[in-house]
Amino acid sequence: MVEDKETQVYLAGSIRRNKHAKEDFGYYQQVLEEHHYKVVNPYKFFPESIPDHMQMLLCLPLVKSCSIIYLQPGWEHSNGSLIEALYAARCGLRIVTDIKVLTQGGSDDNGQQGQGDILDRIAEKVVENLEGYINGK
């Protein structure tokens, strides 16, 4: 099901660890815009010289301004994406991990069961990252 033309989608994904981030973010923005979504692409907003924690403080209001967050492939490996996904869940955004859900009317991973599944995946990755941090990895 394609959303209303006014629907805003926040793109979340790995930036620092992805040498193709510019291309990836640009690709997903183009695909979604072709399907009449308004896209908030954080990659375009901030120079790389801004420290991660400052980018996150600036990105969270952008997340809240949207009704959907699209988690790009590899989102699980990005601390920023994990924070954005948790914040999006807290703000009641629809969380989507399969682009086909937005572009081809694929099965919605955000049904009652699907929403719980994605939140479990997000929580699992947060715990893994925290354990790695605590253990010095």
Side-chain angles (χ1 to χ4, degrees):
M1 161 181 115
V2 175
E3 298 293 321
D4 178 75
K5 209 172 183 180
E6 296 301 312
T7 300
Q8 286 200 119
V9 179
Y10 183 89
L11 295 179
S14 180
I15 292 179
R16 298 276 194 235
R17 296 180 184 177
N18 178 2
K19 62 183 176 183
H20 304 290
K22 181 178 181 178
E23 294 84 5
D24 291 348
F25 276 78
Y27 169 76
Y28 289 112
Q29 178 173 354
Q30 179 181 351
V31 167
L32 291 169
E33 286 176 344
E34 287 172 0
H35 287 85
H36 307 288
Y37 290 96
K38 289 186 176 182
V39 178
V40 177
N41 179 350
Y43 189 87
K44 291 188 168 190
F45 284 103
F46 311 110
E48 291 184 27
S49 60
I50 295 178
D52 290 348
H53 69 282
M54 290 301 296
Q55 283 189 12
M56 197 53 37
L57 289 174
L58 297 170
C59 284
L60 294 179
L62 296 173
V63 170
K64 192 172 185 176
S65 74
C66 296
S67 57
I68 299 170
I69 185 169
Y70 171 61
L71 304 177
Q72 298 177 50
W75 65 269
E76 304 98 330
H77 309 295
S78 165
N79 289 335
S81 292
L82 291 169
I83 292 167
E84 291 165 339
L86 286 172
Y87 188 68
R90 177 76 171 129
C91 293
L93 275 69
R94 181 176 171 205
I95 301 170
V96 177
T97 58
D98 184 355
I99 194 76
K100 289 182 269 183
V101 169
L102 299 174
T103 61
Q104 299 174 11
S107 65
D108 190 348
D109 61 355
N110 217 23
Q112 196 67 7
Q113 184 61 39
Q115 179 71 18
D117 292 345
I118 191 67
L119 291 176
D120 288 346
R121 283 179 58 203
I122 294 167
E124 179 182 315
K125 290 299 177 181
V126 167
V127 169
E128 283 178 17
N129 287 0
L130 287 173
E131 287 173 344
Y133 179 77
I134 291 167
N135 296 321
K137 293 182 182 177

